[in-house]
Amino acid sequence: GAGVSQSPRYKVAKRGQDVALRCDPISGHVSLFWYQQALGQGPEFLTYFQNEAQLDKSGLPSDRFFAERPEGSVSTLKIQRTQQEDSAVYLCASSPGLAGPLGAKNIQYFGAGTRLSVL
Amino acid sequence: DAKTTQPTSMDCAEGRAANLPCNHSTISGNEYVYWYRQIHSQGPQYIIHGLKNNETNEMASLIITEDRKSSTLILPHATLRDTAVYYCIVRFGNQFYFGTGTSLTVIP
């Protein structure tokens, strides 16, 4: 079956531009996560959706970052007025169950990511 | 206050076992430990997870100490394709905390 798909794979933006990054999770997965990965660092949590509800956005670095999942499947991460410090790989992951200590259902399956470069 | 601590890098000879340690001394009683790896330009790939008991699957074995403060991922016969960054992960609320991982290089 298809895994998590992210598009575009690469995005170059001029400083100040708005960008939109798309994530297609595994069909039927309830939970969806966004992470930001700076060069040489591990992924860092941005936000979490349970179906269409955004239950945790504590990792979003500023109000320029906005995420949505309106129908509980595809999600979009939008960054407004991009800055050079936004350059990173943005990873999306989905999970079949709810977030919480439930073992196998909480395995997160990751996409290949979108590499954003802000010039 | 690091949630996981791993060596920055390790080398392993091809065909030998690779043993990757992780310290997670602040883990709570109901949190699982997950291991993922990330090959350059790819997303993290799930390897194995465990709570209290040792676990084994087709990819690796996971040894968790009795006090659950540390664990070791074992790749029994490392191949060149196992060269990657390995992350020991604990949950923190809704989040996976990745840390900086161990860069494993398998040497021919």
Side-chain angles (χ1 to χ4, degrees), chain A residues 9 33 35 37 41-43 45 48 55-56 58 91 99-104 106-108 110-112, chain B residues 30-32 34 36 38 40-46 49 87 91-100:
Chain A
R9 287 281 282 125
F33 306 80
Y35 292 83
Q37 185 172 23
Q41 303 296 314
F45 171 84
Y48 161 62
L55 298 187
D56 187 344
S58 61
L91 293 162
L102 298 176
N106 285 338
I107 295 170
Q108 296 186 20
F110 284 80
Chain B
N30 60 356
E31 282 186 8
Y32 283 76
Y34 299 80
Y36 279 68
Q38 188 173 27
H40 184 62
S41 297
Q42 298 183 19
Q45 176 193 22
Y46 167 78
H49 72 291
Y87 294 100
R91 299 186 60 84
F92 181 66
N94 296 313
Q95 310 176 18
F96 270 5
Y97 177 80
F98 275 78
T100 54

Side-chain angles (χ1 to χ4, degrees), chain A residues 24-61:
Chain A
D24 284 84
I26 295 172
S27 178
H29 277 197
V30 169
S31 297
L32 186 145
F33 306 80
W34 284 98
Y35 292 83
Q36 180 189 59
Q37 185 172 23
L39 189 64
Q41 303 296 314
E44 293 189 354
F45 171 84
L46 293 177
T47 188
Y48 161 62
F49 288 86
Q50 179 183 314
N51 295 308
E52 69 279 2
Q54 189 176 20
L55 298 187
D56 187 344
K57 51 183 180 180
S58 61
L60 296 177

